Amino acid sequence: MPPIYQTSTYAQITPGGHQGFEYSRTHNPTRQALEKALASIEAGNYGFAFGSGLAAMDAVLKLLKPGDEIISTNDLYGGSYRLFTKIFEDFGLKFQFVGMNDPQNITAVVSEKTKLIWVETPTNPMMNVIDIQAVAAIAKKHNILLAVDNTFASPYLQQPLTLGADIVMHSATKYLAGHSDVVLGSLVVNDSELAERIGFIQNASGAICGPMDSFLTLRGIKTLHVRMQRHCENAAAIAHFLHQHPKIEKVNWPGFDFHPNHEVAKTQMKDFGGMLSFVTQGADYAAAIKIVERLKLFTLAESLGGVESLAGHPASMTHASIPKAIREQSGVVDALIRLSVGIEDVRDLIADLEQAIA
Ligand SMILES: Cc1ncc(COP(=O)(O)O)c(C=O)c1O
């Protein structure tokens, strides 16, 4: 097993004459092993590991300069929205949020100043699917960088670099690590010049992860494919169960043939993932709260992608930092419940939902 190099520094033979490693902000052998694995599973050339998914995003935004514009999907993780609007807007970056179900909406807002397109697919928590190849064509035409947050799909289901993205980002906290015991982020790129700039930012800004967390994420990656298969199977069964339930109005899951971008999901993803969200009949807020409070096997908690099932109430939890009016425009209503379907026996999960919804 790769050793956990729990060291901040490395012995030098003569001043400046190090043996491949100088200081652990710059390089650490355990982190390096993880970065190689990350690049490999995303079919990329260069991997970078950070202290969290948001730290990885922070490094991407530092590629830009004041005055640059970013076009982002309008339905995305609340913390990403907060980083964009509450931190980087103050440094002179301008963000435009558009619905990307139809990629042509991007073309309408592209300007000479647009330097980055930020895509999350499937989106958190509405499970919208964005056509990465179509967005990549627009990005290439206008010479704009395309970054894809691949957290919800995982590289087992979808590899954005192979579909034309320049940067793939993960909250490795989720499916990559897979056991809800580590917070970690990653970037993978193909281009050597871009890799050099990201490596410089990683070292100069210093938002790296530690060796123990690198080890845990490496260990998680070993079972990613097996876990994802069961996540997908269980989520499909639960999506169908909820869809036929008289007390449930709407289920968002890309595997339904009536999902708006089901055909795109079928071509760019190997399966439909372990995440879904749903709204109670009549968008009843009190009923939604009762359901999440009554769940026993699903734990009511932030985060997703671990082997144990989690339930969340996006409006008050993961997406609370998005103003109500903006969040409701993209469907994140107060009666929406998000499920991260784990790998437990699906009969137990359905029985838990049955008793909570009854
Ligand atoms: C889609 C997505 N992107 C990014 C993040 C941020 O990652 P982290 O919590 O590891 O900083 C999250 C966290 O929930 C997420 O769900």
Side-chain angles (χ1 to χ4, degrees):
M1 292 300 108
I4 302 161
Y5 283 88
Q6 195 70 51
T7 181
S8 61
T9 192
Y10 307 83
Q12 302 195 5
I13 299 158
T14 182
H18 62 79
Q19 302 167 71
F21 296 88
E22 280 178 286
Y23 185 58
S24 279
R25 174 163 31 73
T26 319
H27 292 117
N28 171 283
T30 320
R31 193 177 90 222
Q32 200 172 67
L34 170 65
E35 290 174 332
K36 279 191 182 156
L38 290 166
S40 160
I41 57 175
E42 277 295 1
N45 292 330
Y46 306 95
F48 300 91
F50 294 85
S52 69
L54 286 177
M57 289 180 71
D58 180 274
V60 174
L61 294 165
K62 285 174 177 163
L63 293 165
L64 306 177
K65 299 244 174 340
D68 287 350
E69 295 183 4
I70 299 98
I71 302 171
S72 165
T73 164
N74 64 351
D75 160 31
L76 81 169
Y77 169 56
S80 307
Y81 179 85
R82 183 178 56 197
L83 178 69
F84 291 165
T85 57
K86 294 280 191 315
I87 304 284
F88 280 96
E89 264 180 9
D90 285 349
F91 287 92
L93 298 186
K94 189 176 161 204
F95 295 87
Q96 281 159 310
F97 296 94
V98 298
M100 292 189 184
N101 268 346
D102 178 0
Q104 290 318 314
N105 294 343
I106 300 171
T107 314
V109 292
V110 165
S111 84
E112 295 236 307
K113 293 182 182 162
T114 310
K115 293 291 177 323
L116 176 71
I117 298 176
W118 188 268
V119 166
E120 193 181 291
T121 182
T123 61
N124 180 0
M126 293 308 295
M127 306 305 300
N128 284 311
V129 171
I130 296 162
D131 185 338
I132 299 172
Q133 259 175 324
V135 179
I138 296 168
K140 292 275 162 325
K141 185 170 162 208
H142 298 276
N143 202 20
I144 302 168
L145 278 178
L146 170 60
V148 176
D149 182 339
N150 201 25
T151 301
F152 263 39
S154 90
Y156 174 68
L157 297 181
Q158 157 182 297
Q159 291 175 313
L161 296 181
T162 66
L163 300 169
D166 301 293
I167 302 172
V168 57
M169 173 260 157
H170 277 275
S171 169
T173 313
K174 311 294 167 15
Y175 287 109
L176 295 187
H179 297 76
S180 305
D181 53 9
V182 58
V183 175
L184 196 139
S186 70
L187 298 177
V188 178
V189 302
N190 268 329
D191 181 70
S192 59
E193 217 173 288
L194 186 56
E196 203 169 305
R197 291 173 66 204
I198 290 172
F200 179 82
I201 293 167
Q202 184 194 38
N203 182 46
S205 285
I208 47 127
C209 54
M212 182 68 199
D213 288 349
S214 300
F215 171 85
L216 286 172
T217 307
L218 262 173
R219 190 168 68 172
I221 287 171
K222 290 183 197 185
T223 55
L224 176 69
H225 57 306
V226 187
R227 286 185 282 110
M228 285 316 295
Q229 285 165 11
R230 179 64 74 88
H231 282 298
C232 291
E233 243 174 72
N234 284 0
I238 288 175
H240 286 103
F241 162 75
L242 291 171
H243 177 59
Q244 56 72 44
H245 200 292
K247 291 195 174 169
I248 303 305
E249 188 170 292
K250 185 162 187 259
V251 183
N252 305 306
W253 177 65
F256 288 130
D257 56 10
F258 54 82
H259 180 281
N261 269 347
H262 176 65
E263 289 307 316
V264 177
K266 256 172 48 184
T267 41
Q268 81 183 11
M269 297 172 75
K270 196 183 273 180
D271 204 335
F272 304 111
M275 298 297 300
L276 59 90
S277 58
F278 64 98
V279 179
T280 48
Q281 202 56 261
D284 185 336
Y285 169 70
I289 297 299
K290 249 190 215 145
I291 292 171
V292 292
E293 284 176 353
R294 279 193 199 141
L295 284 167
K296 293 192 173 88
L297 192 49
F298 281 85
T299 302
L300 176 60
E302 306 265 350
S303 205
L304 60 108
V307 291
E308 293 92 3
S309 293
L310 300 181
H313 179 246
S316 64
M317 295 166 72
T318 44
H319 290 66
S321 52
I322 304 179
K324 185 175 163 80
I326 295 180
R327 116 174 112 62
E328 290 197 336
Q329 268 168 27
S330 58
V332 187
V333 293
D334 287 346
L336 185 81
I337 296 171
R338 189 188 77 178
L339 297 182
S340 168
V341 180
I343 66 167
E344 303 93 335
D345 191 308
V346 75
R347 290 167 299 185
D348 291 338
L349 294 175
I350 288 177
D352 193 26
L353 285 163
E354 222 158 23
Q355 66 79 24
I357 297 169

